[in-house]
């Protein structure tokens, strides 16, 4: 059915993306990646394809590839705090703390009460030895989550003021 649909509508980027999902379901990673790249070739700013590619790269533990796809998503969806958050987490996990900070700050500019972005920004700032700033974000979070053991442990790990 998809092959027939592609014959009838060869410029529709959704069709190769659907085929990519079928390939992923079968465990054919390279075939899925190829279909995703075909979708991107058909529509260079196809956010769903870049999101699918980022997810595929994460599943394959290719964090640098996931970062590239997510950075592209930030250009396509510049007002999407969730995309900046994901980019921040990816950069944090790869040890790029400066890059993580920039992405997480942007997420917070877009959605100032984004708790997960505040938390990861605090972790990032701690890695950069900016403990006072990190503590400030964690203390903001603990006000609304006073029983959160993870927040309490993070604050304790920063030491005394």
């Amino acid at each position: 059915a998809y092959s027939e649909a592609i014959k009838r509508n060869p410029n529709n980027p959704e069709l190769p993306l659907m085929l990519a999902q079928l390939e992923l379901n079968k465990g054919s990673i390279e075939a899925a990646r190829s279909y995703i790249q075909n979708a991107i070739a058909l529509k260079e700013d196809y956010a769903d394809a870049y999101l699918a590619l980022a997810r595929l790269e994460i599943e394959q533990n290719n964090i640098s590839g996931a970062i590239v796809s997510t950075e592209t998503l930030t250009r396509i969806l510049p007002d999407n705090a969730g995309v900046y958050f994901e980019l921040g987490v990816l950069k944090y996990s790869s040890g790029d703390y400066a890059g993580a900070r920039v992405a997480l700050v942007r997420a917070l500019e877009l959605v100032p009460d984004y708790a997960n972005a505040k938390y990861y920004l605090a972790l990032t700032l701690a890695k950069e030895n900016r403990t006072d700033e990190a503590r400030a974000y964690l203390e903001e979070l603990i006000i609304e989550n006073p029983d959160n053991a993870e927040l309490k442990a993070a604050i304790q790990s920063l030491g005394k003021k």
Side-chain angles (χ1 to χ4, degrees), residues 43-80:
K43 187 173 191 299
E44 216 173 283
D45 63 348
Y46 190 25
D48 289 346
Y50 286 102
L51 183 59
L53 187 57
R55 288 180 180 153
L56 182 146
E57 298 301 0
I58 290 168
E59 287 175 16
Q60 295 302 301
N61 204 28
N62 178 6
I63 301 304
S64 62
I67 287 171
V68 169
S69 291
T70 308
E71 285 174 334
T72 301
L73 271 173
T74 65
R75 291 188 291 279
I76 296 169
L77 304 169
D79 296 327
N80 187 312

Side-chain angles (χ1 to χ4, degrees), residues 2 14 30 32 35 39 47-49 56 76 80 91 108-109 127 143 151 154-156 160:
Y2 286 127
E14 290 180 61
E30 289 311 312
Y35 279 122
D48 289 346
L56 182 146
I76 296 169
N80 187 312
K91 288 192 173 206
L108 287 169
E109 288 170 353
K127 290 285 189 183
I143 290 169
L151 286 174
I155 290 170
Q156 273 188 327
K160 301 277 184 203

Side-chain angles (χ1 to χ4, degrees), residues 6-35:
I6 288 172
K7 285 180 193 172
R8 293 175 186 242
N9 192 358
N11 295 321
N12 183 345
E14 290 180 61
L15 297 170
L17 194 55
M18 290 176 187
L19 286 169
Q21 186 58 52
L22 290 175
E23 293 298 332
L24 282 173
N25 292 343
K26 292 186 330 190
S28 302
I29 303 303
E30 289 311 312
R33 183 179 281 117
S34 178
Y35 279 122

Side-chain angles (χ1 to χ4, degrees), residues 3 21 56-57 67 104-107 127-130:
S3 295
Q21 186 58 52
L56 182 146
E57 298 301 0
I67 287 171
L104 294 165
V105 164
R106 180 66 181 137
K127 290 285 189 183
E128 294 181 311
N129 295 315
R130 297 167 68 169

Side-chain angles (χ1 to χ4, degrees), residues 70-147:
T70 308
E71 285 174 334
T72 301
L73 271 173
T74 65
R75 291 188 291 279
I76 296 169
L77 304 169
D79 296 327
N80 187 312
V83 172
Y84 281 98
F85 171 72
E86 291 301 326
L87 180 61
V89 170
L90 287 167
K91 288 192 173 206
Y92 177 87
S93 70
S94 73
D96 177 4
Y97 303 120
R101 181 175 22 84
V102 169
L104 294 165
V105 164
R106 180 66 181 137
L108 287 169
E109 288 170 353
L110 293 167
V111 179
D113 59 346
Y114 197 153
N116 287 339
K118 284 182 185 179
Y119 179 73
Y120 271 93
L121 181 56
L123 296 180
T124 300
L125 292 167
K127 290 285 189 183
E128 294 181 311
N129 295 315
R130 297 167 68 169
T131 54
D132 289 343
E133 293 170 81
R135 184 179 291 105
Y137 280 107
L138 292 171
E139 288 174 351
E140 271 183 54
L141 290 169
I142 201 101
I143 290 169
E144 295 196 20
N145 304 283
D147 297 326

